[in-house]
Amino acid sequence: MSTFKYAAFPLLASAFFLGSCGDNQTSQPETETPEVETVAETPMVETTDKFTYANYKDVRLTHIDLNLDVNFEDKVLDGVAILDFERIDPETDVLVLDTKDLTINSISLVNGETTMPVEDYTLGEADPVLGQELRIPLSEDADQVLIDYTTSPTAEGLQWLSPEQTAGKEDPYLFSQAQAINARTMAPLQDTPAVRLTYSATLRVPDGLRPLMSASQGEENENGEYQFEMPQPIPSYLIAIAVGDIEFKAINDHIGVYAEEYILDAAAEEFSETPLMEEANEELYGPYRWGRYDLIVLPPSFPYGGMENPRLSFMTPTLIAGDKSLTNVVAHELAHSWSGNLVTNATWRDAWLNEGFTSYVENRVMEKLYGERRAVMEQALALEDLKRDIAGAARPELTQLKLPADITHPDDAFSQVAYVKGQYFLIFLEERFGRDAFDPFLKSWFNDHAFESVTTETFLDYLDDNLRADYPDAVTDAEIEAWVYEPGLPETAKNPQSDAFETVQMHSDAWVAGDLSTFELEEIAAEWSTHEWLHFLNGLPDDLASEQYEDLDKAFSLTGTQNAETAFAWYMLAIKTDYEAAYADLEGFLMSVGRGKFIYRLYDALKENGKAEWAERIYAEARPGYHPIAQRRIDDILNE
Ligand code: BES
Ligand code: ZN
């Protein structure tokens, strides 16, 4: 076992002694010393999730049963949650839950057949990030609590769309987004990834609408209700619901696509290689353990590219480019079925364990299916994003893989650092140990920690015991320390060599210098993939003569392009270069696309380039259509 990390994080060594804290720490103290005494007084900052009120180290939820009306008129979920819990500390006399914007109607404790109303529960003061704690005094023998509650129409985890906001225009639509800490706006629970629970649900929805959840898909029963079951323990952030005029198309016997009709066929075609991705994943990391794998294409206000809700990934329609050029996002969400959903970060400070591992697996799968050329281009594009995030970080500590204890919102944990620096750390390990050793190692990591929530330190110990022990000279403590606990990109990071991008660069340089005509470029670029276009556009200088942007636009019809990634790259350039011919289309894009990755940076760039007024005018009109998460983020960007 190496010891460097204990030196860097003195509190960590102490945390290892707290064997009963229930964070699945596999590490054992090396010697039994009387230190236990002093340790008991040490706050467990290293393994405690600070974004929950829950006393999850004393008592844990094991199951939640939801019985809800999906009420589109009032835009609320309304009904009863029955929570099963287990005492870890037998003395525990209170259950503390997370809630945010919930109305609690009544609470009862249940012990077998006996139900006892609870009058003296308390709802704490509302914190803008965390919401309100719900303290429920426990009687000695109760092991279930029944909570009658109603959500708020402005719950951050739920977007209620009017019929006009859907493609079909006839029916309303609802979808949830619980990650990172919005499950508490959907139900009272222990909203921390450190706790895993199974769930079941009974939903009542208006006639003609289909409800879906991140669970076995419910059949309608004789009362017109739909029943769902998630028998595998998952963290609360993976509870998900979508309701709308949704249709289904199978891709194979256990993979398919849900979507509004207008995009169903196109989506099934775009995602037709998902079965191959699943196969590639299984070859590398073992069986897919969740039964079915379906995708749902949500309305365009969905604020993410994808969300790995188990059995049912939620996807943005901006992936439907017509040429499968953006399907790495499918590979990504599917990969979470191993990294994240099976083995989960115990706190958001360890988010790279979810996202970095997933980005690594995603890229391995892309390489297996489409070859090294595409995989390396995707690595190189990701690295450009990482460098931008590192340069723009509010403070250096936010560029460590293990994030500092004082992050103020879990959103801070999801920069490109978690994704790309995390991915590059694993690429570094892969290169040092070789795939023959590293691939089986990663496979056993997923197996040995399946259905657990783990911290960065659990992984580093596992690495020590299962790989470094066999190859002690492959990496040094200092190298690992730099990757995990120090800011920036370590010098041991891979430099992805993309011949394709080098060629693009050469032509780009020549065109910029006037040595290559736009006409000649047209012939060359006719062969370019989306990736090559992105490299070209991202690398263009912003101080060319305005005719040059105009020429490009004329030659390639960049304004109004149907590929959302290319459009985004072009609009960013248009903003920086005052290329106003693109503004009408940019406005259309901002009015119709709610994917955060695009719109946060577009609004930010508009503001930074002296177009705040224009941005605010568009935003005033677009805001009601954006998801509550996007509204919060853009409010911050424009008001900063
Ligand atoms: N789990 C994330 C989405 C997420 C992150 C939701 C943080 C809430 C808080 C998902 O797996 C993801 O990473 N999506 C990416 C796609 C990817 C290819 C990097 C996205 O949305 O762009
Ligand atoms: Zn992810």
Side-chain angles (χ1 to χ4, degrees):
M1 287 252 297
S2 61
T3 51
F4 66 90
K5 50 190 179 284
Y6 307 152
F9 282 77
L11 283 173
L12 182 63
S14 346
F16 286 162
F17 290 88
L18 297 163
S20 65
C21 73
D23 278 288
N24 300 310
Q25 280 287 4
T26 52
S27 306
Q28 295 299 316
E30 278 162 31
T31 50
E32 302 226 342
T33 66
E35 246 180 292
V36 178
E37 288 298 301
T38 51
V39 162
E41 293 155 25
T42 311
M44 293 180 289
V45 286
E46 292 306 322
T47 60
T48 301
D49 178 6
K50 67 175 242 185
F51 296 109
T52 179
Y53 289 115
N55 56 340
Y56 64 97
K57 295 186 181 186
D58 300 331
V59 50
R60 291 189 163 223
L61 301 188
T62 56
H63 183 83
I64 178 166
D65 178 64
L66 299 168
N67 194 310
L68 300 172
D69 285 323
V70 180
N71 180 338
F72 281 95
E73 250 155 58
D74 300 334
K75 302 191 173 170
V76 296
L77 301 176
D78 183 21
V80 173
I82 302 176
L83 313 180
D84 296 4
F85 57 86
E86 216 172 67
R87 287 176 176 77
I88 294 163
D89 175 357
E91 307 285 287
T92 310
D93 58 3
V94 62
L95 173 66
V96 186
L97 300 176
D98 295 299
T99 75
K100 193 173 185 184
D101 298 326
L102 298 183
T103 303
I104 305 298
N105 305 316
S106 70
I107 298 182
S108 307
L109 284 170
V110 186
N111 168 27
E113 300 292 285
T114 328
T115 302
M116 291 264 300
V118 180
E119 307 295 348
D120 52 348
Y121 65 84
T122 56
L123 209 46
E125 215 175 289
D127 176 275
V129 174
L130 298 179
Q132 292 172 281
E133 67 169 6
L134 175 58
R135 296 182 75 87
I136 306 170
L138 293 179
S139 58
E140 233 161 70
D141 41 13
D143 58 6
Q144 275 188 326
V145 59
L146 188 153
I147 304 174
D148 188 315
Y149 74 100
T150 313
T151 63
S152 156
T154 56
E156 188 172 291
L158 297 170
Q159 188 178 15
W160 299 85
L161 298 173
S162 66
E164 302 74 50
Q165 290 173 292
T166 67
K169 310 276 180 225
E170 304 235 319
D171 295 295
Y173 202 108
L174 164 70
F175 67 88
S176 67
Q177 173 56 46
Q179 197 183 18
I181 53 169
N182 279 329
R184 66 191 67 180
T185 71
M186 295 155 58
L189 38 66
Q190 295 181 322
D191 199 11
T192 166
V195 173
R196 311 179 75 94
L197 71 177
T198 54
Y199 83 85
S200 47
T202 303
L203 299 181
R204 284 169 296 281
V205 302
D207 273 353
L209 296 195
R210 186 205 287 254
L212 299 166
M213 293 192 83
S214 52
S216 62
Q217 293 318 335
E219 288 299 307
E220 198 172 353
N221 68 18
E222 63 276 13
N223 306 325
E225 304 167 326
Y226 290 81
Q227 262 151 332
F228 302 85
E229 192 76 44
M230 170 42 81
Q232 290 145 304
I234 56 165
S236 58
Y237 75 84
L238 293 176
I239 297 173
I241 175 174
V243 183
D245 182 9
I246 300 166
E247 303 199 358
F248 176 74
K249 186 163 181 174
I251 293 178
N252 71 13
D253 63 350
H254 68 287
I255 297 179
V257 186
Y258 290 96
E260 279 193 85
E261 200 203 335
Y262 83 105
I263 204 170
L264 185 67
D265 288 337
E269 178 53 29
E270 198 82 22
F271 300 153
S272 66
E273 283 164 8
T274 308
L276 300 176
M277 292 178 172
E278 185 196 39
E279 251 170 58
N281 248 308
E282 290 188 320
E283 272 170 39
L284 284 165
Y285 305 115
Y288 177 76
R289 304 203 197 195
W290 304 87
R292 291 198 58 87
Y293 181 72
D294 294 316
L295 301 142
I296 177 169
V297 178
L298 293 170
S301 62
F302 180 53
Y304 296 98
M307 175 64 212
E308 67 271 26
N309 297 315
R311 294 181 186 223
L312 183 67
S313 287
F314 282 22
M315 310 304 277
T316 168
T318 59
L319 301 178
I320 316 298
D323 61 359
K324 301 186 169 71
S325 59
L326 308 177
T327 56
N328 70 299
V329 181
V330 178
H332 181 96
E333 303 316 332
L334 175 64
H336 270 304
S337 308
W338 286 260
S339 44
N341 298 4
L342 203 54
V343 183
T344 307
N345 53 214
T347 80
W348 300 115
R349 294 178 60 195
D350 304 296
W352 78 278
L353 292 178
N354 276 17
E355 297 301 346
F357 277 63
T358 298
S359 298
Y360 173 80
V361 171
E362 163 204 327
N363 196 251
R364 288 297 303 274
V365 165
M366 294 306 284
E367 182 196 310
K368 233 167 143 45
L369 290 192
Y370 306 107
E372 214 184 329
R373 187 175 183 274
R374 176 163 177 181
V376 173
M377 287 196 289
E378 290 180 359
Q379 287 173 14
L381 287 170
L383 187 59
E384 290 168 17
D385 287 342
L386 172 63
K387 287 181 176 164
R388 196 197 57 239
D389 272 14
I390 289 179
R395 52 197 179 102
E397 293 78 15
L398 295 178
T399 68
Q400 299 164 187
L401 286 181
K402 176 76 179 195
L403 288 165
D406 63 352
I407 52 171
T408 51
H409 194 289
D411 284 354
D412 296 347
F414 291 88
S415 77
Q416 294 300 306
V417 170
Y419 287 85
V420 185
K421 185 179 176 181
Q423 174 189 359
Y424 272 75
F425 175 40
L426 296 186
I427 292 176
F428 158 78
L429 293 175
E430 174 206 303
E431 288 187 337
R432 288 295 180 87
F433 291 100
R435 284 188 176 180
D436 286 350
F438 191 67
D439 290 356
F441 162 77
L442 212 52
K443 181 176 181 176
S444 33
W445 163 251
F446 295 137
N447 268 316
D448 291 349
H449 294 284
F451 301 106
E452 290 179 12
S453 301
V454 294
T455 62
T456 298
E457 290 68 31
T458 314
F459 174 69
L460 293 181
D461 284 339
Y462 191 84
L463 179 69
D464 284 350
D465 296 348
N466 295 283
L467 208 49
R468 298 185 69 195
D470 295 337
Y471 304 91
D473 301 326
V475 295
T476 67
D477 287 356
E479 285 169 335
I480 293 194
E481 168 106 20
W483 275 102
V484 179
Y485 295 112
E486 289 171 16
L489 188 64
E491 56 194 21
T492 54
K494 171 181 180 175
N495 181 15
Q497 281 300 323
S498 164
D499 297 345
F501 282 2
E502 272 173 27
T503 309
V504 169
Q505 198 56 53
M506 187 184 79
H507 291 127
S508 172
D509 292 346
W511 179 77
V512 167
D515 299 336
L516 188 75
S517 73
T518 305
F519 182 72
E520 287 166 313
L521 184 68
E522 250 184 287
E523 213 151 276
I524 293 163
E527 305 295 315
W528 283 355
S529 64
T530 300
H531 300 79
E532 286 158 301
W533 267 109
L534 293 176
H535 180 74
F536 174 76
L537 292 173
N538 293 339
L540 275 187
D542 52 19
D543 56 358
L544 303 179
S546 57
E547 299 80 60
Q548 277 188 278
Y549 302 111
E550 218 176 289
D551 277 2
L552 263 192
D553 200 6
K554 270 201 201 115
F556 302 106
S557 311
L558 290 164
T559 299
T561 170
Q562 288 311 297
N563 187 302
E565 292 279 353
T566 319
F568 166 69
W570 175 241
Y571 297 141
M572 286 296 285
L573 196 63
I575 294 169
K576 285 187 224 151
T577 61
D578 294 320
Y579 180 68
E580 293 194 350
Y583 273 44
D585 275 285
L586 169 56
E587 176 172 347
F589 189 87
L590 290 170
M591 289 301 300
S592 60
V593 174
R595 185 174 173 190
K597 169 183 168 179
F598 301 142
I599 63 176
Y600 304 158
R601 284 189 55 210
L602 288 170
Y603 280 110
D604 191 53
L606 284 166
K607 191 182 166 193
E608 294 306 312
N609 287 276
K611 318 249 169 34
E613 233 170 86
W614 190 80
E616 267 159 34
R617 183 176 65 73
I618 306 296
Y619 184 48
E621 212 182 319
R623 191 179 186 279
Y626 289 154
H627 191 281
I629 294 173
Q631 294 182 353
R632 168 171 61 79
R633 298 284 291 264
I634 302 167
D635 289 350
D636 285 351
I637 291 168
L638 295 181
N639 295 327
E640 240 165 33

